[in-house]
Amino acid sequence: APAAPAAPAAPAAPAAPAAPAAPEVPEVPFAASQILSNVDGERRVMLRLLSKFTERATATAEGLRQKASSADFTGLRRDAHSLKGAARYIAALRLQELAMELQELADGFLEEGLPNGTDEATNKAASKAGLMVERVTDEIQRVLTAIAEEIGEPEKRLPPSPYAPSPPPPYAPQPPPPP
C-alpha cells in the first residue's frame, strides 16, 4: 500500500529577539572628530577645550573623592553633573555615562535622606560613592592619557586614590632569630 502523504510541517516559531548587547567601552576615550565637527573644524578651539579639561581634571577628581568620603552627596551630585557636561563637550562618551551614573547614585542617596549623621547607612553610602568615584577617576585618567597623545604633550597623572590598596612594603630579608 502506498504511504500516506506526510503532513505539512508546522510553521517555525518566530525567533526570539536578540538580547541587547552590553554597552561597550569605547576604544578611544574621546572622539576628536566629534569635537571638530562641533566646533566647525577649528582644531585650535578643540585644543583649547581639551586643555581646559586637562587643567581642571585634578581638582575635579580630588573634589569628587573628598565629597564621597565626607558623604557630601549634594556636592557630589553637583560635581558629577558638571563633569557630565565637560565630558559631553570633549565627546568623552564613557566618562559622560559614568558621571551620569554617579549623579544618579548621589540623587538616590539624597532621596533616602542621607546623610543623616554618622550612622551605618551613611557610611555604607559614602563607601559605595567612593567606589563609583574611583571608576569615574579611572576614566578621567584614560581621557587624560588620550588627550596627551592627541596634543603631543606629556601625560597628566591624577594623584593616587585613597581607596586604592597600598602597595606592599619593599622586601627586606629578616635576620635569623637568635639561637
Side-chain angles (χ1 to χ4, degrees), residues 2 20-21 65 79 87 124 144 156:
R65 288 172 173 163
D79 288 2
K124 280 184 176 181
L144 290 173
K156 181 171 185 167

Side-chain angles (χ1 to χ4, degrees), residues 6-150:
E24 292 183 26
V25 174
E27 281 191 38
V28 288
F30 73 96
S33 61
Q34 180 63 47
I35 301 170
L36 284 169
S37 173
N38 293 344
V39 297
D40 297 324
E42 293 284 334
R43 183 162 173 81
R44 178 182 50 79
V45 176
M46 178 186 79
L47 294 175
R48 191 171 62 230
L49 287 171
L50 295 175
S51 178
K52 285 207 176 286
F53 181 86
T54 299
E55 289 169 13
R56 296 177 179 158
T58 298
T60 298
E62 289 187 355
L64 292 171
R65 288 172 173 163
Q66 188 279 326
K67 287 173 177 73
S69 68
S70 66
D72 176 3
F73 301 127
T74 301
L76 187 63
R77 184 207 176 285
R78 181 185 58 244
D79 288 2
H81 179 79
S82 295
L83 177 60
K84 182 176 69 173
R88 184 178 65 242
Y89 275 113
I90 63 164
L93 302 179
R94 179 69 181 142
L95 181 56
Q96 184 180 351
E97 290 171 7
L98 289 170
M100 184 171 63
E101 287 179 35
L102 181 59
Q103 179 182 343
E104 291 170 353
L105 182 69
D107 278 339
F109 294 149
L110 291 169
E111 288 172 11
E112 292 174 27
L114 297 173
N116 54 7
T118 57
D119 67 1
E120 186 177 341
T122 298
N123 292 336
K124 280 184 176 181
S127 178
K128 187 173 183 178
L131 293 173
M132 183 65 204
V133 163
E134 287 315 303
R135 289 180 56 209
V136 170
T137 57
D138 286 349
E139 187 62 17
I140 291 172
Q141 185 62 64
R142 201 169 84 94
V143 170
L144 290 173
T145 300
I147 289 172
E149 290 173 11
E150 177 69 28

